[in-house]
């Protein structure tokens, strides 16, 4: 801002400034606070009555978060990444006025966090807790869960994203009897199928006559999402029978050993789904995280038995059903007239014939995913895209898809997300996207498409008008080099997430180009990237780390690198940028796009990230010196 503008702002009434700033998020408020004295004073004042406080893209320490959370009896919603916090911050964070709590990465907290929420936040309605007590030396006791459920009597939505199987089974159901009768949504990070069955079974209750059945513990539940060891007939039947109001059911398992028939899902279990006829969203997925295994006891008959009661289904996700053929999948398409989301993973018997007569249905699909369905070809896609309103198309792992499918895909003018990983497309085919959907796409992934070269970048982006693209995955492309990244940087596409892992020809030149990338005429110079994955890129040396430190990449929050490049430099970078998540072990960064497919929001940050500057003013110089010392040490080693 010019000095004359600052003077004019100083003359505005404080009440007017405060009214305007309360409409902004925390990052924007902090950005304004460093621009002039009037805004700084106003920002400090409004933090004492702001109703919402959300910081999830950085992980602040206790010292940094404390001045931002003064006493505030009006605070209703608090969302934080708690990666650098522990039990000592409980008193600062928890307020009686809170109605919504969302704490990610709570590994350094103990079960005290649960019990204190139960005693301090009686009116909380929505609660999300991630990774509680996962750090060694931290523990959760059943009494902590008891105080949480007994104290939060207004809970409507509860997400406990950690391992609940550690609790003793004989006390578990008794404790859940204390849960709020208003609870409509429950998500659990991990729990055993036996505990789920015992929790929801209508057993004889305490102090009751033998013929007196205990009422349902969770009578109002409408949405249930669980990760379990095994999805079984008994568990599915108990859920379907006991939760009369259920509209959303999401179950995911990851067996360690091949399930026996008594611990597996069969056609009989499928028949029990949706007994009350209210279900609209169903997801049943067998993950292959630990073992290559499938639902081998469910076939087309199971789908036919379920379809009779599922005419009103709006969303279906089936993963790992290796014995379901075209007959079963066609039954879904022709029976569920309201279906708009369809996802199939590892559909090993799904072929083009499923879509041969899709035009005869009344379907208006908007979200479609066929991951690792290897029998699908270009013909299937040509039939599928008759649903012109498609917004999400996920075809990862469909190896028989090639250039012939791309003209049809290019005609989808409303498409926001396209994933073509490991398909057989080439630079010639991808040109069909250039004058079609590329202007509407928010996310594009061509990971593992081995035929693509640098030319695909210029084909897609050279001379493009303003694009909406935010996420681009170019990982595992053996022919992508620095020249391709230079072309991407020149295109000035304001990408916020760029993945280029496992690209052997990507080196330091790419990092320098991205660091100086001008994203938009109105926003000045500086890369717009918030996530950059460079894991196992062949040409990355210690030179790149000089461009990865401040002030370059001012908005970067996630970085994937190979830790073996030089451990000291990596550690120095992490200390230089404490709000940057540096991943060195090949883990995937960020979140699964399938869970955020409707999100097209991207915050307009200034050239420098004033949130980081405001929180950490004065620490740049010493950090830079530490980084340079590490680089000098590395130079000595190299020599």
């Amino acid at each position: 801002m010019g000095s004359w503008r600052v003077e004019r702002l100083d003359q505005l009434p404080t009440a007017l400034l405060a009214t305007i700033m309360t409409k902004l998020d925390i990052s924007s408020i902090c950005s304004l606070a460093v621009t002039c004295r009037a805004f700084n004073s106003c920002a400090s004042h409004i933090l004492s009555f702001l109703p919402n406080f959300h910081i999830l893209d950085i992980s602040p320490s206790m010292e940094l978060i404390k001045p931002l959370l003064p006493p505030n009896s009006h605070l209703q919603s608090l969302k934080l990444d708690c990666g650098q916090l522990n039990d000592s911050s409980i008193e600062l964070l928890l307020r009686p006025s809170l109605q919504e709590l969302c704490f990610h990465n709570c590994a350094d907290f103990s079960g005290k966090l649960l019990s204190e929420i139960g005693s301090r936040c009686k009116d909380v309605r929505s609660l999300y807790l991630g990774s509680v007590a996962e750090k060694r030396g931290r523990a959760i006791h059943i009494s902590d869960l008891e105080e949480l459920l007994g104290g939060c009597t207004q809970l409507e939505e509860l997400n406990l994203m950690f391992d609940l199987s550690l609790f003793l089974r004989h006390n578990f159901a008794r404790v859940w009897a204390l849960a709020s009768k208003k609870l409509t949504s429950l998500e659990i990070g991990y729990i055993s199928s036996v505990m789920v069955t015992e929790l929801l079974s209508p057993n004889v209750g305490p102090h009751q006559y033998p013929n007196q059945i205990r009422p349902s513990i969770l009578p109002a539940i409408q949405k249930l999402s669980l990760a379990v060891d095994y999805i079984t007939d008994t568990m599915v039947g108990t859920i379907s029978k006991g939760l009369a109001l259920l509209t959303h059911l999401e179950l995911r398992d990851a067996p360690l050993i091949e399930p026996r028939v008594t611990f597996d899902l069969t056609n009989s279990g499928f028949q029990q789904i949706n007994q009350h006829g209210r279900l609209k969203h169903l997801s049943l997925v067998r993950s292959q995280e630990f073992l290559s295994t499938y639902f081998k006891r469910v076939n087309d008959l199971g789908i036919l038995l379920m379809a009779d009661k599922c005419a009103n289904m709006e969303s279906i996700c089936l993963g790992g059903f290796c014995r379901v053929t075209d007959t079963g999948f066609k039954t879904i398409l022709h029976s569920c007239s309201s279906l708009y989301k369809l996802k199939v993973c590892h559909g090993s018997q799904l072929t083009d014939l499923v879509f041969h007569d899709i035009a005869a249905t009344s379907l208006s699909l908007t979200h479609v995913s066929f991951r690792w369905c290897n029998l699908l070809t270009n013909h299937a896609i040509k039939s599928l895209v008759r649903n012109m309103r498609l917004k999400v198309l996920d075809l990862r792992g469909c190896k028989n898809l090639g250039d012939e499918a791309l003209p049809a895909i290019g005609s989808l003018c409303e498409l926001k997300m396209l994933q073509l990983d490991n398909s057989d497309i080439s630079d010639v085919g991808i040109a069909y996207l250039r004058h079609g959907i590329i202007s509407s796409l928010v996310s594009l992934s061509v990971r593992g498409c081995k035929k693509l070269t640098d030319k695909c970048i210029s084909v897609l982006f050279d001379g493009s008008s303003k694009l909406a693209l935010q996420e681009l995955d170019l990982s595992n492309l053996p022919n992508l080099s620095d020249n391709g990244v230079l072309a991407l940087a020149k295109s000035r596409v304001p990408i916020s997430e760029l993945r280029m892992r496992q690209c052997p020809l990507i080196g330091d030149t790419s990092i320098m180009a991205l660091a100086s990338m001008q994203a938009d005429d109105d926003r000045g110079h500086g890369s717009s990237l918030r996530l950059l994955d460079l894991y196992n890129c062949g040409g990355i040396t210690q030179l790149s780390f000089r461009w990865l430190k401040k002030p370059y990449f001012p908005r970067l929050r996630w970085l994937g690198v190979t830790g073996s490049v030089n451990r000291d430099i990596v550690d120095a970078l992490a200390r230089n940028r404490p709000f940057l998540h540096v991943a060195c072990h090949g883990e995937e960064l960020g979140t699964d796009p399938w869970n955020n497919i409707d999100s097209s929001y991207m915050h307009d940050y200034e050239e420098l990230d004033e949130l980081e500057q405001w929180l950490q003013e004065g620490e740049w110089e010493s950090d830079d010196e530490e980084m340079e010392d590490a680089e000098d040490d590395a130079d000595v080693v190299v020599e």
Side-chain angles (χ1 to χ4, degrees):
M1 291 186 182
S3 59
W4 66 274
R5 292 181 181 177
V6 173
E7 292 174 2
R8 289 195 173 191
L9 289 172
D10 281 330
Q11 297 172 11
L12 289 176
T14 302
L16 177 58
L17 287 178
T19 301
I20 295 172
M21 293 180 73
T22 54
K23 307 297 182 183
L24 306 175
D25 59 22
I26 292 297
S27 296
S28 300
I29 291 172
C30 292
S31 296
L32 285 175
V34 298
T35 59
C36 71
R37 187 173 300 172
F39 277 179
N40 190 292
S41 175
C42 191
S44 299
H45 174 60
I46 67 172
L47 288 172
S48 64
F49 62 83
L50 207 63
N52 302 319
F53 188 97
H54 301 165
I55 298 182
L56 289 172
D57 58 346
I58 65 172
S59 179
S61 65
M62 180 70 165
E63 291 73 21
L64 296 178
I65 200 69
K66 191 172 183 179
L68 298 178
L69 281 174
N72 180 358
S73 60
H74 302 278
L75 188 63
Q76 296 183 355
S77 177
L78 178 60
K79 297 182 180 181
L80 285 176
D81 184 323
C82 299
Q84 295 194 61
L85 303 178
N86 54 37
D87 286 353
S88 64
S89 60
I90 287 177
E91 187 171 352
L92 172 70
L93 300 179
L94 303 185
R95 318 287 176 92
S97 60
L98 286 169
Q99 297 183 12
E100 181 181 30
L101 264 176
C102 181
F103 290 163
H104 290 260
N105 301 321
C106 302
D108 206 14
F109 284 85
S110 70
K112 182 181 178 182
L113 177 62
L114 277 69
S115 59
E116 290 294 322
I117 290 174
S119 63
R120 294 171 181 260
C121 305
K122 302 287 187 179
D123 292 330
V124 68
R125 287 169 168 75
S126 176
L127 175 61
Y128 180 103
L129 298 175
S131 309
V132 178
E134 288 187 357
K135 189 172 182 178
R136 180 175 293 183
R138 302 291 183 259
I140 309 176
H141 302 289
I142 193 70
S143 59
D144 297 321
L145 180 62
E146 185 173 11
E147 291 189 43
L148 171 70
L149 297 176
C152 299
T153 58
Q154 305 301 311
L155 262 182
E156 298 171 6
E157 180 180 354
L158 178 60
N159 303 75
L160 300 177
M161 305 308 293
F162 49 89
D163 188 355
L164 267 63
S165 69
L166 300 175
F167 293 128
L168 297 175
R169 278 173 46 194
H170 68 272
N171 285 327
F172 192 70
R174 176 187 60 80
V175 168
W176 279 90
L178 301 172
S180 167
K181 302 308 177 187
K182 299 178 180 180
L183 194 64
T184 61
S185 177
L186 175 63
E187 182 175 9
I188 295 177
Y190 183 79
I191 186 173
S192 74
S193 59
V194 174
M195 293 175 75
V196 176
T197 301
E198 292 178 351
L199 171 62
L200 297 176
S201 295
N203 296 327
V204 175
H207 311 299
Q208 293 176 335
Y209 294 105
N211 61 347
Q212 188 174 359
I213 302 299
R214 183 186 68 193
S216 174
I217 280 184
L218 303 170
I221 288 291
Q222 298 175 24
K223 181 178 180 180
L224 183 66
S225 180
L226 307 173
V228 297
D229 47 358
Y230 300 100
I231 298 176
T232 68
D233 286 352
T234 303
M235 184 182 69
V236 168
T238 303
I239 291 172
S240 299
K241 186 183 300 181
L243 302 180
L245 302 180
L246 201 64
T247 60
H248 293 64
L249 177 60
E250 300 176 5
L251 301 176
R252 179 185 181 90
D253 70 4
L256 293 171
I257 59 174
E258 192 66 38
R260 302 190 307 272
V261 65
T262 52
F263 272 85
D264 203 5
L265 182 65
T266 71
N267 289 338
S268 176
F270 244 75
Q271 188 176 8
Q272 300 179 67
I273 292 174
N274 201 25
Q275 293 188 25
H276 300 283
R278 295 176 179 267
L279 208 60
K280 292 187 179 297
H281 305 274
L282 174 66
S283 178
L284 298 172
V285 175
R286 174 148 289 174
S287 168
Q288 303 198 8
E289 181 179 357
F290 305 114
L291 182 70
S292 181
T293 183
Y294 303 88
F295 292 110
K296 297 177 181 178
R297 297 177 174 91
V298 176
N299 54 29
D300 293 337
L301 177 60
I303 303 292
L304 292 169
L305 293 171
M306 180 192 72
D308 290 339
K309 302 187 293 292
C310 294
N312 295 322
M313 284 278 197
E314 297 177 2
S315 171
I316 294 179
C317 173
L318 300 176
F321 290 86
C322 65
R323 295 185 61 198
V324 177
T325 71
D326 292 341
T327 301
F329 292 118
K330 286 185 73 171
T331 300
I332 292 175
L333 293 177
H334 289 266
S335 300
C336 305
S337 58
S338 300
L339 197 69
Y340 69 92
K341 289 186 181 181
L342 176 64
K343 181 177 179 180
V344 178
C345 302
H346 294 287
S348 56
Q349 298 197 53
L350 178 66
T351 76
D352 296 351
L353 293 177
V354 171
F355 310 103
H356 179 67
D357 57 351
I358 194 171
T361 71
S362 59
L363 291 182
S364 183
L365 297 170
T366 60
H367 299 64
V368 171
S369 175
F370 296 115
R371 298 186 189 178
W372 304 290
C373 298
N374 291 327
L375 297 182
L376 291 183
T377 72
N378 301 320
H379 298 292
I381 307 308
K382 291 176 182 178
S383 299
L384 181 63
V385 298
R386 291 173 183 171
N387 286 271
M388 294 299 294
R389 292 178 57 202
L390 276 175
K391 295 181 179 178
V392 173
L393 186 57
D394 181 355
L395 301 170
R396 281 179 272 184
C398 297
K399 297 181 179 180
N400 288 317
L401 297 181
D403 291 342
E404 292 181 28
L406 292 177
I409 294 174
S411 67
L412 298 169
C413 57
E414 295 185 34
L415 199 66
K416 301 295 183 185
M417 173 182 284
L418 176 61
Q419 293 173 307
L420 298 168
D421 301 16
N422 298 303
S423 61
D424 197 38
I425 63 172
S426 70
D427 296 337
V428 174
I430 210 167
Y432 289 109
L433 305 181
R434 172 66 180 82
H435 299 291
I437 62 171
I438 192 62
S439 60
S440 67
L441 277 181
V442 174
S443 177
L444 173 64
S445 178
V446 290
R447 176 182 294 205
C449 297
K450 302 297 176 64
K451 291 183 178 181
L452 294 180
T453 69
D454 293 335
K455 187 177 180 180
C456 75
I457 302 297
S458 56
V459 165
L460 281 174
F461 302 121
D462 273 5
S464 298
S465 57
K466 190 172 179 64
L467 302 181
L469 193 70
Q470 297 178 23
E471 302 171 5
L472 180 62
D473 193 337
L474 303 172
S475 301
N476 197 17
L477 301 184
N479 298 311
L480 180 69
S481 72
D482 291 335
N483 290 331
V485 179
L486 285 168
L488 179 64
K490 290 178 182 178
S491 72
R492 302 197 301 181
V493 180
I495 295 172
S496 60
E497 298 187 9
L498 178 61
R499 293 171 170 86
M500 298 188 297
R501 55 169 42 215
Q502 306 283 358
C503 291
L505 302 182
I506 294 297
D508 298 331
T509 302
S510 292
I511 311 309
M512 288 185 274
L514 292 172
S516 57
M517 179 178 177
Q518 183 178 0
D520 193 303
D521 289 331
D522 297 331
R523 290 164 58 179
H525 291 273
S527 174
S528 59
L529 288 171
R530 298 182 65 75
L531 182 152
L532 179 60
D533 194 347
L534 303 168
Y535 180 75
N536 209 22
C537 286
I540 301 295
T541 72
Q542 61 200 38
L543 176 62
S544 289
F545 287 83
R546 299 181 181 180
W547 290 88
L548 288 168
K549 68 180 183 181
K550 294 178 291 190
Y552 305 108
F553 296 101
R555 302 164 190 83
L556 200 63
R557 290 289 173 258
W558 289 89
L559 175 66
V561 293
T562 305
S564 60
V565 170
N566 187 288
R567 188 70 241 183
D568 291 337
I569 290 182
V570 173
D571 291 342
L573 176 63
R575 291 190 292 270
N576 174 266
R577 306 188 73 154
F579 301 128
L580 178 66
H581 301 273
V582 182
C584 303
H585 304 292
E587 57 267 47
E588 293 288 347
L589 306 183
T591 55
D592 182 357
W594 181 262
N595 296 324
N596 298 279
I597 47 183
D598 294 320
S599 175
S600 58
Y601 170 79
M602 184 174 72
H603 188 80
D604 285 330
Y605 288 84
E606 300 297 331
E607 181 175 357
L608 290 178
D609 191 335
E610 284 86 356
L611 171 59
E612 185 170 344
Q613 179 183 343
W614 195 66
L615 290 176
Q616 203 179 351
E617 192 168 353
E619 297 183 12
W620 285 31
E621 185 174 348
S622 60
D623 287 337
D624 284 347
E625 291 175 355
E626 181 184 18
M627 188 83 177
E628 290 167 4
D629 290 341
E631 290 167 357
D632 292 340
D633 292 341
D635 290 337
V636 172
V637 172
V638 171
E639 292 172 2

